[in-house]
Amino acid sequence: MTVTIRDVARASGVHVSTVSRTFSAPHMVNAATRSRVLTVAEELGYRPNRAARALTTGRTHNLGLIVADIANPFFPPLIKAAHAAARQRDYHLFVADTDEEPAAEEELIQAFSKQVDGVVLCSPRSSNKVLERLAERVPFVVINRRLRGAATVLMDVGHGARLAVEHLAGLGHRRVALVTGPAGSWTSDEIRTAAEQVPGVELVVIGPNPPTERGGFGAAERVRESGATGVLAYNDLVAIGLIEGLGDLGLEVPGDVSVVGIDDIVPGRLNRPKLTTVAMPTAAAGRLAVDLLIQEVAATTSLETRLVVRDSTAAPR
Amino acid sequence: MTVTIRDVARASGVHVSTVSRTFSAPHMVNAATRSRVLTVAEELGYRPNRAARALTTGRTHNLGLIVADIANPFFPPLIKAAHAAARQRDYHLFVADTDEEPAAEEELIQAFSKQVDGVVLCSPRSSNKVLERLAERVPFVVINRRLRGAATVLMDVGHGARLAVEHLAGLGHRRVALVTGPAGSWTSDEIRTAAEQVPGVELVVIGPNPPTERGGFGAAERVRESGATGVLAYNDLVAIGLIEGLGDLGLEVPGDVSVVGIDDIVPGRLNRPKLTTVAMPTAAAGRLAVDLLIQEVAATTSLETRLVVRDSTAAPR
DNA sequence: AGGTTTAGTGCAACTGTTTGCAGTCTTGAA
DNA sequence: TTCAAGACTGCAAACAGTTGCACTAAACCT
C-alpha cells in the first residue's frame, strides 16, 4: 500500500496538517517537529502525492510541450533544454507530437489543460483564432509565432538570413538563389524579406518547396539553371538534399556552388561537406519558454541567431 | 472558473454519480439520460479532471518515458513512436532525460511513481539492484536490458552484427575491424561475440572508444594500422566520425575501406557516403514498450534487426 | 397475483492534500 | 502582573471525482 500523509502523522504523533506543512510550508513548523516528521517520512518512504496536491492547490507542477514532429532533428535540442529547465524547478514535462496536424494541436491542448500549469507550443499550425480561444483555458507560451495575449519566444531568422547572404556576398557571390520552404510559411517570408535587403547581390527565388531533404533534392535542377553560385536554403534538411542533388548533377559543393542552410541541426554538423548554416537558438528558446511559463510573465522575447561557417561555402570559381 | 461534474449534474437534473457514470461507465446509465447529460456537458464545456479521477481510481492514464539523452538521434524515433502508441489509448506521456546520470534515473522514477501508471526505461544505466527495488514502486518496462521481474524489450543487435560482418565477408573482405564502444557496455559485448562467430574473416578489435563521433574519429589511425579493409562500428555516430577520420588520413570510404554502422539514425541516411548500417527497430521498441505497459503483461520480447546496405560499403580494392 | 430479477439512479463515504480559522502556549513589553 | 503579539499546531472543510450499497420501479416468471 502507498504511504500517505496520515501514516506519517500517526507515526510521528502530530496532525496531518503539520505533516502537510513540513512539506509545503516548512517555515511554519517548529524546527524540532519538522525534523522529526522528516525522518519519520523518510523511514516510511513517504512521497507527497502530486495529483492530490493539485486538486486543492490548482497547480499541478506539470508542463506540456507540443511540437510538430519529435523525430525532426530540429526539435530534440529544444525538448531537451525545456526538460532541463523544467526539472530545475521541479516540474515534470509532458511531451506531445502533433504529426503536423493542426487538429491534433487543439485536441492536445484541451487534453492537457486540466493537467498542466501551462503549455509551450512550438511552431503552431493552428489558426490564431483557435489559439486565442484555447489561451483562455490554459496559459501558453508560443515559440516561433506572434500571438496576441500569449508570451512568445521568437528566433530572429531574418537577421541570420541577412548574415548568410552577406557571407556569400563577402566571398564574391553575385547571384544567389533562395530555395524557399512551403508557401505561406512565416519563416520563409522572414528569410526572403531579409535576404532581399542585402545590397550587391542578385536574388533569385526558387520555390515553394517541401521543407525536407527531398524538397532540396528536387530543387537542384532549378538551382543549376538559375546560374546562381551561392544558395541559401530554407533549412538544413533542404540544404543537405540540395547538396546531394547538385552532386548528382555533377556540381561540387563548395567548389561549384556554395550552400548555406538554416537551423544548425546535428546531421548538418556531421555531413560532408560540413554545412555552413544559420544557428537557431533552439535550446535557449526551449529553456526561456518554460521559464516564462513558470514565472507567468507574458513577455515577447526575441533571440539572436548567428552564422556558423563550415565547409559548404567558399569563393566562387 | 472551471466547470465540474456538479455543475453538469445540477444543469441536467441528475445526481453527480450519474454524470460520473456517463463518462466512466456509460453502459450503466439509461440512453436518454446519458445523451441529455452529454449535451449539457458539451454546452458547459465540461472535461473530466484527470487528477481528481486519479485520486480515487489510482490510475492516472499517464506514462513516463526515461531516456539517457533526448538530443541523441537514436532516441527521438523511439519517443515519437511511444507517444503515438500512448495517445492511441488516450494516455499522456511524460518524457525525461537523465543526461546519462544513473542518479537522475532513480530520482526521476521516484518522482514519477505517484503520477504515472508505468514507466518505460530506455537503456538504463542504474544497477540491477536499484532497478529491482524501484520496480516495486511502479510498473516498468525496460528497453535494451535484461531485468528480472520487469517486462523487457530487446533489440537483437547480435543478429544484426552478424549480418553486417557476413555482408563484409560477402564483398570479399577478409580482415575486418570492430570499433567497439565503452568498456562494459552490454551492447558492445553482444556485437563482439556475434561478430566473432562469422567464419572466414579475421576480426581485429579496436577499443574501447567513447560512443560518439569523436570516438570514431579517434580510432581512424588504429584502423589504418590494423590493415583491415572493412569495419563494423559500435554505432552510426562512431561510424560517421571514423569515416571523417579516415578521410583526413587520405583513405576513401568505400573505396579504400568499407564501414558499416549500427542504429540507422537520420544523420547516417543523410551523410555522404550514405551509411550502410544495422537498423535498430527503435520505433517498434517504443510502441511495444508502451503496449506492454498498458496491458500490464510482463513478457520479454526480442525485436529483429536488419541490415540496410547503402553507399559506405563495397568490395575491397 | 405474487415473487424475483434487472435496470437505473441516488446517497454518502472515500481518495490524499491544502488551508483559513481558531486555539494554546510562550515570550516580551509596559 | 497583565496584555498583546507571535509561534505552533489542530480542526475541518474543501478540491473533483468514483463506487459500494441501497432503493425504486418496471419487467419477467411461474
Side-chain angles (χ1 to χ4, degrees), chain A residues 264-277:
Chain A
D264 194 22
I265 61 178
V266 171
R269 283 201 277 280
L270 298 179
N271 219 48
R272 304 174 69 197
K274 291 196 201 312
L275 198 60
T276 292
T277 192

Side-chain angles (χ1 to χ4, degrees), chain B residues 179-180 206 208-220 222 237-239 241-242:
Chain B
V179 176
T180 68
I206 296 176
N209 304 285
T212 62
E213 191 211 350
R214 298 201 56 73
F217 189 90
R222 277 169 296 156
L237 251 21
V238 169
L242 174 64

Side-chain angles (χ1 to χ4, degrees), chain A:
Chain A
M1 292 276 72
T2 121
V3 24
T4 80
I5 210 176
R6 274 168 244 274
D7 301 322
V8 179
R10 199 172 317 121
S12 48
V14 298
H15 193 262
V16 294
S17 56
T18 302
V19 179
S20 171
R21 281 191 267 259
T22 75
F23 286 98
S24 51
H27 61 277
M28 297 187 87
V29 18
N30 181 289
T33 321
R34 190 196 319 154
S35 74
R36 180 156 40 95
V37 170
L38 283 176
T39 61
V40 170
E42 177 68 29
E43 278 167 22
L44 266 48
Y46 167 76
R47 316 223 95 194
N49 181 325
R50 284 177 164 220
R53 176 179 294 180
L55 202 53
T56 45
T57 61
R59 327 214 68 236
T60 61
H61 257 240
N62 290 149
L63 261 28
L65 171 60
I66 301 181
V67 301
D69 178 7
I70 296 172
N72 178 331
F74 178 77
F75 292 109
L78 192 153
I79 300 174
K80 185 180 173 93
H83 172 260
R87 280 312 293 158
Q88 208 170 343
R89 301 166 182 267
D90 197 28
Y91 277 69
H92 288 297
L93 192 64
F94 285 111
V95 174
D97 177 304
T98 64
D99 248 325
E100 306 273 1
E101 306 239 40
E105 213 164 274
E106 188 173 352
E107 157 74 17
L108 281 167
I109 294 173
Q110 295 268 14
F112 276 166
S113 64
K114 287 291 194 332
Q115 213 160 174
V116 302
D117 295 340
V119 356
V120 1
L121 196 51
C122 210
S123 324
R125 311 292 201 240
S126 300
S127 73
N128 274 8
K129 224 157 297 180
V130 169
L131 291 179
E132 277 163 20
R133 183 164 47 72
L134 256 25
E136 291 166 10
R137 291 185 147 264
V138 54
F140 260 12
V141 11
V142 182
I143 297 181
N144 255 348
R145 166 99 157 248
R146 284 213 150 79
L147 186 67
R148 210 180 44 193
T152 57
V153 175
L154 266 23
M155 303 187 235
D156 191 355
V157 233
H159 179 243
R162 190 160 45 250
L163 290 180
V165 177
E166 286 171 357
H167 166 65
L168 290 171
L171 288 169
H173 297 275
R174 291 291 157 255
R175 192 176 172 80
V176 345
L178 188 64
V179 176
T180 68
S185 149
W186 178 75
T187 319
S188 215
D189 293 347
E190 289 285 296
I191 295 170
R192 178 169 178 173
T193 55
E196 280 169 349
Q197 286 171 18
V198 178
V201 317
E202 190 180 351
L203 205 67
V204 2
V205 176
I206 296 176
N209 304 284
T212 62
E213 191 210 352
R214 298 203 55 74
F217 189 89
E221 184 65 46
R222 279 170 294 158
V223 167
R224 181 175 61 170
E225 285 166 4
S226 76
T229 58
V231 181
L232 174 58
Y234 176 68
N235 66 23
D236 286 350
L237 251 21
V238 169
I240 290 172
L242 175 64
I243 291 174
E244 187 178 351
L246 291 171
D248 286 5
L249 262 35
L251 293 175
E252 286 293 318
V253 173
D256 298 307
V257 9
S258 290
V259 357
V260 4
I262 294 179
D263 282 355
D264 194 22
I265 61 178
V266 171
R269 283 201 277 280
L270 298 179
N271 219 48
R272 304 174 69 197
K274 291 196 201 312
L275 198 60
T276 292
T277 192
V278 175
M280 297 281 267
T282 50
R287 201 176 315 126
L288 184 57
V290 340
D291 284 349
L292 290 178
L293 218 42
I294 292 175
Q295 291 159 27
E296 301 185 39
V297 335
T300 127
T301 333
S302 181
L303 260 26
E304 272 314 301
T305 55
R306 62 181 220 289
L307 184 70
V308 181
V309 178
R310 298 206 183 91
D311 308 334
S312 66
T313 48
R317 282 253 153 81

Side-chain angles (χ1 to χ4, degrees), chain B residues 21 30 42 48 55 60 63 88 130 134 136 141 171 185:
Chain B
R21 282 190 267 257
N30 180 288
E42 177 67 30
L55 200 53
T60 61
L63 261 29
Q88 209 169 343
V130 170
L134 256 24
E136 292 165 10
V141 13
L171 287 168
S185 150

Side-chain angles (χ1 to χ4, degrees), chain B residues 118-200:
Chain B
V119 354
V120 3
L121 197 49
C122 208
S123 323
R125 312 292 202 239
S126 301
S127 71
N128 275 8
K129 223 157 299 179
V130 170
L131 291 180
E132 277 162 21
R133 182 163 47 72
L134 256 24
E136 292 165 10
R137 293 185 146 263
V138 55
F140 261 13
V141 13
V142 182
I143 298 183
N144 256 348
R145 166 100 157 246
R146 284 213 151 81
L147 186 66
R148 209 180 46 193
T152 57
V153 175
L154 265 24
M155 302 186 237
D156 190 356
V157 232
H159 179 242
R162 189 160 46 249
L163 290 180
V165 177
E166 286 170 358
H167 166 66
L168 290 171
L171 287 168
H173 296 274
R174 292 290 157 256
R175 192 177 173 80
V176 345
L178 188 64
V179 176
T180 68
S185 150
W186 178 76
T187 317
S188 214
D189 293 346
E190 289 286 296
I191 295 170
R192 178 167 178 174
T193 55
E196 280 168 350
Q197 286 170 18
V198 178

